[in-house]
Amino acid sequence: MGKELKVQLEGILENQGLARAIAAAYVSQADPTVEELTEVKTAVSEAFSNAAIHGYGMKGGTVNMEFAFTSKDTVMIKIMDKGVGIENIAMAMEPLYTTDTGQNRSGMGFTVMESFMDRIKVDSKPGEGTAVTMIKKLDTYYGI
Amino acid sequence: MGKELKVQLEGILENQGLARAIAAAYVSQADPTVEELTEVKTAVSEAFSNAAIHGYGMKGGTVNMEFAFTSKDTVMIKIMDKGVGIENIAMAMEPLYTTDTGQNRSGMGFTVMESFMDRIKVDSKPGEGTAVTMIKKLDTYYGI
Amino acid sequence: MEIIFNVMGNTLIAELLGELDHHAADSVRQRIDSALDNYRAQNLVFDFNKVTFMDSSGIGMILGRYRKMGEKDNNMAIVGCSKPIRNILNMAGVFSIIDYYNTAEEAVEVFDRKEVS
Amino acid sequence: MESKLEQIVAENTGLVKSVALRLSYVYGEETEDLIQIGYIGLIKAAERFEPERGLKFSTYAVPMIAGEIRSQLRDRGAIKMSRSIKSDIAVVRRAEAEFAAETGRSPKLSELAQKTGLTPERVTQALQAADAVKSFEDYEKADLAADEEERNVMKMDIAAGIESLELKERQVVVLRYYRDMTQSKVAEILGISQVQVCRLEKKALKNMAKKVNF
Ligand SMILES: Nc1ncnc2c1ncn2[C@@H]1O[C@H](COP(=O)(O)OP(=O)(O)OP(=O)(O)O)[C@@H](O)[C@H]1O
Ligand SMILES: Nc1ncnc2c1ncn2[C@@H]1O[C@H](COP(=O)(O)OP(=O)(O)OP(=O)(O)O)[C@@H](O)[C@H]1O
Ligand SMILES: [Mg+2]
Ligand SMILES: [Mg+2]
């Protein structure tokens, strides 16, 4: 596929804005609405921050992102880390579930991703890492 | 370096806008002026189109781009193809020099890159490909 | 992210500007907490009018302050959210425990009335 | 030694003019002012130039001249986030709000482009820049810039326009403004008359203005 994009950057929170901006640049090619753009950026922000915070425990490590259009108006985004992985994926995806013991995480990251994207798949193995794949159909409903 | 970014995309002219947008997203982190941003985007655009047009003869192939800050306000951008390569680099970089036999190329790509960036280095071997490395100091950083 | 603090009576108004993500959240939390201490404010209003981006870190930030303010006499309000931000806060049920108003003035008025009655 | 420096400066006054001209388009400042500042950059370049390193003088001097001009403008507060992007942000944001009020939905990027008259690429850039706005001061200034809305004095951005030029126009503009050549020199290189160079140059500048302004 000619429009595929692969990106590699360091999984630190400092790079969260860059990860979002690249996602926006990619998705902009399909002429999304401003709202759709925000939704995609938010989902990417959640997945990327999870890789940095949970996957790499804030110590850094490589995050790979892959972008593709599976059709003219459907974008697929994959965000991968080689961090600690997730023991129980179904539980991790529950709203409000967080392994954070402090007061800072709300456990809503996966819920936000699920609400803003059409489909989300999580592959993970403890000790090996995590891959989050998200798909969103951009609404061409308005016929433009 | 924590802020490094590596990008891989198909070397087709369709992707030129995306290459520019990613460069803009990266450089924006250093709070450039609009003018500097435009200059960087134009230089990237030239290097990317050269890879697609000359390197891969419009038939496509992988283009790798690497971005880094060598200091707080100095950005380094490397654009690489594995295409036909350049026989005589010095000649290729001369203003007006083009191997294009049609009427479409002006032979100004390298001249534009040199004018807009502070330094440019071209590594190339016939049959192996070409790497263009460009450095630009953003002078907005200090003093504001 | 920049924060401008404003005090109206017992109320601290925190006007946020820029991107509120997991990267920014740490320092935002700290600055708001120390402002709460410094002003000894009883009530807190988050003004989101100039927030250009927010992810789930905003939920944690708001709920964290809610827990910290805890006691019954304290009031909290959120004002000026864009639609996507409201969506995210809604997902976590934030508005079932914290009221939303259009402007900070409106929120302060409501707090004042509560105190009188 | 002294005369060598003077000679270099004298030979390269054209370089200063072309850089100043280019930057005056970008920043909307008086060319004459920028030329004066540019000379300081040229002298610095002449003092520090080391021919042994095999670099052409112009290659070495252009960034120094441009740097000098930019840094002085910056000290005067003339540059930061330049006016055009600030007003872009405000214009795009307003168009978005208006569109949503009119139609009850969020606009597509192409619809924002249509409504604002900006290119889609510039709309995207403005949206990204809007996210990245970091201070209240910038935020307020964006609105002010849109209020003023002096579109006719919007800076022309040569770089942005270059790619869209036709072959000959592009050659003329690059040689004249970036390679510091006189019209007659360009005429000689391109094998056309000086009058034709002059015409091409005017047409190119006009085309770029059309492309970049809205
Ligand atoms: N990339 C990852 N690597 C390892 N664990 C992860 C990863 N992503 C998520 N998790 C686990 O899943 C849990 C839920 O993630 P989610 O993003 O929903 O909430 P959170 O990150 O804890 O809080 P919030 O995102 O609201 O700040 C996390 O607490 C963590 O235990
Ligand atoms: N990546 C590359 N691979 C192979 N050859 C290249 C590459 N980049 C440049 N060249 C060679 O260098 C020449 C000059 O490049 P330059 O970009 O200056 O001009 P151009 O591409 O021919 O014209 P223009 O960029 O003005 O449309 C090209 O004509 C081509 O022969
Ligand atoms: Mg999370
Ligand atoms: Mg070229």
Side-chain angles (χ1 to χ4, degrees), chain A residues 46 50-51 54-55 81 84-86 92 97-100 105-110 130, chain C residues 22 56:
Chain A
E46 297 293 353
N50 277 353
H54 308 297
D81 67 65
V84 297
I86 304 176
Y97 176 84
T98 177
T99 49
D100 187 71
R105 312 254 86 81
S106 64
M108 289 298 282
F110 277 125
T130 302
Chain C
H22 291 271
S56 71

CSV table of all heavy atoms in Angstrom, one decimal, chain A residues 46 50-51 54-55 81 84-86 92 97-100 105-110 130, chain C residues 22 56, ligand 1:
chain,number,residue,atom,x,y,z
A,46,GLU,N,-3.6,8.4,24.1
A,46,GLU,CA,-3.8,7.5,25.2
A,46,GLU,C,-2.9,6.2,25.0
A,46,GLU,O,-2.3,5.8,25.9
A,46,GLU,CB,-5.3,7.0,25.2
A,46,GLU,CG,-6.3,8.1,25.5
A,46,GLU,CD,-6.2,8.6,26.9
A,46,GLU,OE1,-5.5,8.0,27.7
A,46,GLU,OE2,-6.9,9.6,27.2
A,50,ASN,N,0.2,5.2,27.4
A,50,ASN,CA,0.2,3.9,28.1
A,50,ASN,C,1.6,3.2,27.9
A,50,ASN,O,2.1,2.6,28.8
A,50,ASN,CB,-0.9,3.0,27.6
A,50,ASN,CG,-2.2,3.3,28.3
A,50,ASN,OD1,-2.3,4.1,29.3
A,50,ASN,ND2,-3.3,2.7,27.8
A,51,ALA,N,2.1,3.3,26.6
A,51,ALA,CA,3.3,2.6,26.4
A,51,ALA,C,4.4,3.2,27.2
A,51,ALA,O,5.3,2.5,27.8
A,51,ALA,CB,3.7,2.8,24.9
A,54,HIS,N,3.1,2.8,31.4
A,54,HIS,CA,3.0,1.4,31.9
A,54,HIS,C,4.0,0.4,31.2
A,54,HIS,O,4.7,-0.3,31.9
A,54,HIS,CB,1.6,0.9,31.7
A,54,HIS,CG,0.5,1.8,32.2
A,54,HIS,ND1,0.4,2.0,33.5
A,54,HIS,CD2,-0.5,2.5,31.6
A,54,HIS,CE1,-0.6,2.9,33.7
A,54,HIS,NE2,-1.2,3.2,32.6
A,55,GLY,N,4.0,0.5,29.9
A,55,GLY,CA,4.9,-0.4,29.1
A,55,GLY,C,6.3,-0.2,29.6
A,55,GLY,O,7.0,-1.2,30.0
A,81,ASP,N,4.7,-1.3,21.8
A,81,ASP,CA,5.9,-1.2,22.7
A,81,ASP,C,6.5,-2.6,23.0
A,81,ASP,O,5.8,-3.6,22.8
A,81,ASP,CB,5.6,-0.4,23.9
A,81,ASP,CG,4.6,-1.2,24.9
A,81,ASP,OD1,5.0,-2.2,25.4
A,81,ASP,OD2,3.5,-0.7,25.1
A,84,VAL,N,6.6,-4.1,29.5
A,84,VAL,CA,6.3,-5.2,30.4
A,84,VAL,C,5.1,-6.1,29.9
A,84,VAL,O,4.9,-7.2,30.4
A,84,VAL,CB,6.0,-4.7,31.8
A,84,VAL,CG1,7.2,-4.0,32.4
A,84,VAL,CG2,4.8,-3.7,31.8
A,85,GLY,N,4.2,-5.5,29.1
A,85,GLY,CA,3.1,-6.3,28.6
A,85,GLY,C,1.9,-6.3,29.6
A,85,GLY,O,2.1,-5.8,30.8
A,86,ILE,N,0.8,-6.9,29.2
A,86,ILE,CA,-0.4,-6.8,30.1
A,86,ILE,C,-0.8,-8.3,30.4
A,86,ILE,O,-0.9,-9.1,29.6
A,86,ILE,CB,-1.6,-6.1,29.4
A,86,ILE,CG1,-1.1,-4.7,29.0
A,86,ILE,CG2,-2.8,-6.1,30.3
A,86,ILE,CD1,-2.2,-4.0,28.2
A,92,ALA,N,-7.7,-5.1,31.9
A,92,ALA,CA,-7.1,-3.8,31.7
A,92,ALA,C,-8.0,-2.8,30.9
A,92,ALA,O,-8.0,-1.6,31.1
A,92,ALA,CB,-5.8,-4.0,31.0
A,97,TYR,N,-10.4,0.7,35.4
A,97,TYR,CA,-9.4,-0.2,35.9
A,97,TYR,C,-8.0,0.5,35.7
A,97,TYR,O,-7.7,0.9,34.6
A,97,TYR,CB,-9.4,-1.6,35.2
A,97,TYR,CG,-8.3,-2.4,35.7
A,97,TYR,CD1,-8.4,-3.2,36.8
A,97,TYR,CD2,-7.1,-2.5,35.0
A,97,TYR,CE1,-7.3,-3.9,37.3
A,97,TYR,CE2,-6.0,-3.2,35.4
A,97,TYR,CZ,-6.1,-4.0,36.6
A,97,TYR,OH,-5.0,-4.7,37.0
A,98,THR,N,-7.3,0.5,36.7
A,98,THR,CA,-5.9,1.0,36.6
A,98,THR,C,-5.0,0.3,37.6
A,98,THR,O,-5.4,-0.1,38.7
A,98,THR,CB,-5.8,2.5,36.8
A,98,THR,OG1,-4.4,2.9,36.7
A,98,THR,CG2,-6.3,2.9,38.2
A,99,THR,N,-3.7,0.1,37.2
A,99,THR,CA,-2.8,-0.5,38.1
A,99,THR,C,-2.0,0.5,38.9
A,99,THR,O,-1.2,0.2,39.7
A,99,THR,CB,-1.8,-1.4,37.4
A,99,THR,OG1,-1.2,-0.7,36.3
A,99,THR,CG2,-2.4,-2.7,36.9
A,100,ASP,N,-2.4,1.8,38.5
A,100,ASP,CA,-1.7,2.9,39.2
A,100,ASP,C,-2.2,3.0,40.6
A,100,ASP,O,-3.3,3.0,40.9
A,100,ASP,CB,-2.0,4.2,38.4
A,100,ASP,CG,-1.2,5.3,39.0
A,100,ASP,OD1,0.0,5.4,38.7
A,100,ASP,OD2,-1.8,6.2,39.7
A,105,ARG,N,-4.0,8.3,37.9
A,105,ARG,CA,-4.6,7.7,36.7
A,105,ARG,C,-6.1,7.4,37.0
A,105,ARG,O,-6.4,7.1,38.1
A,105,ARG,CB,-3.9,6.4,36.4
A,105,ARG,CG,-2.4,6.4,36.3
A,105,ARG,CD,-1.9,6.4,34.9
A,105,ARG,NE,-1.8,7.7,34.4
A,105,ARG,CZ,-0.9,8.5,34.6
A,105,ARG,NH1,0.2,8.2,35.3
A,105,ARG,NH2,-0.9,9.7,34.0
A,106,SER,N,-6.8,7.6,35.9
A,106,SER,CA,-8.3,7.4,36.1
A,106,SER,C,-8.7,6.0,35.6
A,106,SER,O,-9.8,5.6,35.8
A,106,SER,CB,-9.1,8.5,35.4
A,106,SER,OG,-8.8,8.4,34.0
A,107,GLY,N,-7.8,5.3,34.9
A,107,GLY,CA,-8.2,4.0,34.3
A,107,GLY,C,-9.1,4.2,33.1
A,107,GLY,O,-9.9,3.3,32.8
A,108,MET,N,-9.1,5.3,32.5
A,108,MET,CA,-10.1,5.6,31.4
A,108,MET,C,-9.4,5.6,30.0
A,108,MET,O,-10.1,5.8,29.0
A,108,MET,CB,-10.8,6.9,31.6
A,108,MET,CG,-11.8,6.9,32.8
A,108,MET,SD,-13.1,5.7,32.5
A,108,MET,CE,-14.1,6.6,31.4
A,109,GLY,N,-8.1,5.3,29.9
A,109,GLY,CA,-7.4,5.4,28.7
A,109,GLY,C,-8.1,4.5,27.6
A,109,GLY,O,-8.4,4.9,26.5
A,110,PHE,N,-8.2,3.2,27.9
A,110,PHE,CA,-8.8,2.3,26.9
A,110,PHE,C,-10.2,2.6,26.6
A,110,PHE,O,-10.7,2.5,25.4
A,110,PHE,CB,-8.7,0.8,27.4
A,110,PHE,CG,-7.3,0.2,27.2
A,110,PHE,CD1,-6.6,-0.4,28.3
A,110,PHE,CD2,-6.8,0.1,25.9
A,110,PHE,CE1,-5.4,-0.9,28.1
A,110,PHE,CE2,-5.6,-0.5,25.7
A,110,PHE,CZ,-4.9,-1.0,26.8
A,130,THR,N,3.3,-4.8,24.1
A,130,THR,CA,1.9,-4.6,23.8
A,130,THR,C,1.8,-3.9,22.5
A,130,THR,O,2.5,-3.1,22.1
A,130,THR,CB,1.3,-3.7,24.9
A,130,THR,OG1,1.5,-4.3,26.2
A,130,THR,CG2,-0.2,-3.4,24.7
C,22,HIS,N,-0.9,13.6,29.4
C,22,HIS,CA,-0.2,12.9,30.5
C,22,HIS,C,1.1,13.6,30.8
C,22,HIS,O,1.6,13.6,31.9
C,22,HIS,CB,0.0,11.5,30.2
C,22,HIS,CG,-1.3,10.7,30.2
C,22,HIS,ND1,-1.8,10.1,31.3
C,22,HIS,CD2,-2.2,10.5,29.2
C,22,HIS,CE1,-3.0,9.6,31.0
C,22,HIS,NE2,-3.2,9.8,29.7
C,56,SER,N,-7.3,11.5,28.7
C,56,SER,CA,-7.8,11.0,30.0
C,56,SER,C,-7.0,11.5,31.2
C,56,SER,O,-7.5,11.4,32.3
C,56,SER,CB,-7.9,9.5,30.0
C,56,SER,OG,-6.5,9.0,30.1
E,1,LIG,N1,1.3,-0.5,26.9
E,1,LIG,C1,1.0,-1.0,28.1
E,1,LIG,N2,1.9,-1.8,28.7
E,1,LIG,C2,1.6,-2.4,29.9
E,1,LIG,N3,0.4,-2.2,30.6
E,1,LIG,C3,-0.5,-1.4,30.0
E,1,LIG,C4,-0.3,-0.8,28.7
E,1,LIG,N4,-1.4,-0.1,28.4
E,1,LIG,C5,-2.2,-0.3,29.4
E,1,LIG,N5,-1.7,-1.1,30.4
E,1,LIG,C6,-2.4,-1.5,31.6
E,1,LIG,O1,-3.8,-1.2,31.5
E,1,LIG,C7,-4.3,-0.4,32.5
E,1,LIG,C8,-5.4,0.4,32.0
E,1,LIG,O2,-5.0,1.4,31.1
E,1,LIG,P1,-5.8,2.7,30.8
E,1,LIG,O3,-5.1,3.5,29.8
E,1,LIG,O4,-7.2,2.3,30.5
E,1,LIG,O5,-5.8,3.4,32.2
E,1,LIG,P2,-4.6,4.1,33.0
E,1,LIG,O6,-3.5,4.3,32.0
E,1,LIG,O7,-4.2,3.3,34.2
E,1,LIG,O8,-5.2,5.5,33.4
E,1,LIG,P3,-5.5,6.8,32.4
E,1,LIG,O9,-5.2,6.3,31.0
E,1,LIG,O10,-6.9,7.1,32.6
E,1,LIG,O11,-4.6,7.8,32.9
E,1,LIG,C9,-3.1,0.3,33.0
E,1,LIG,O12,-3.3,0.8,34.4
E,1,LIG,C10,-2.0,-0.7,32.9
E,1,LIG,O13,-2.0,-1.6,34.0
